[in-house]
Amino acid sequence: MPFREGHIYPLRNPERFIAALGEITHNRRTPLLGIALELPSSAFNHALLAYYGPIPTDAVTHDAFITTDQGDVHPNMDKPISIHLDDVVLEEGRILRRE
């Protein structure tokens, strides 16, 4: 099963990504909601694929933002990072819809 554009996926090991991003030292306005976040690091346990257009079916890596299950981007992220198919639970991926 390949990555699918516009999807958000649970991370298999979110602690690895959270450790790489470091401790949240500030709360900033999120690009998606435009409000200040005050969430614990453990809330950031999903990967939201960056949109660049259609994703090739044979892609094993893609750029993504580390987010909450609602798509709120980790405050320490200024740009997406590369994730691998094995980093996410593909079967539980879903389209992120903002109401």
Side-chain angles (χ1 to χ4, degrees):
M1 176 184 288
F3 284 124
R4 295 172 61 189
E5 60 189 82
H7 278 60
I8 186 170
Y9 297 93
L11 290 166
R12 290 189 187 277
N13 184 1
E15 295 81 14
R16 180 170 67 94
F17 293 95
I18 290 168
L21 289 170
E23 181 181 342
I24 297 174
T25 57
H26 64 286
N27 293 309
R28 68 174 171 92
R29 299 193 178 281
T30 65
L32 295 176
L33 292 179
I35 59 173
L37 278 183
E38 294 182 23
L39 297 171
S41 292
S42 61
F44 298 93
N45 54 12
H46 282 68
L48 175 63
L49 297 185
Y51 182 74
Y52 300 127
I55 300 171
T57 57
D58 61 347
V60 294
T61 61
H62 195 75
D63 287 347
F65 291 95
I66 304 305
T67 69
T68 65
D69 63 344
Q70 298 300 308
D72 301 310
V73 177
H74 191 288
N76 294 359
M77 290 198 83
D78 292 326
K79 60 184 177 185
I81 59 173
S82 182
I83 61 167
H84 192 272
L85 282 173
D86 295 336
D87 292 329
V88 299
V89 183
L90 286 172
E91 305 80 33
E92 294 181 23
R94 62 182 169 80
I95 294 176
L96 180 64
R97 298 193 191 281
R98 304 300 280 186
E99 303 290 326

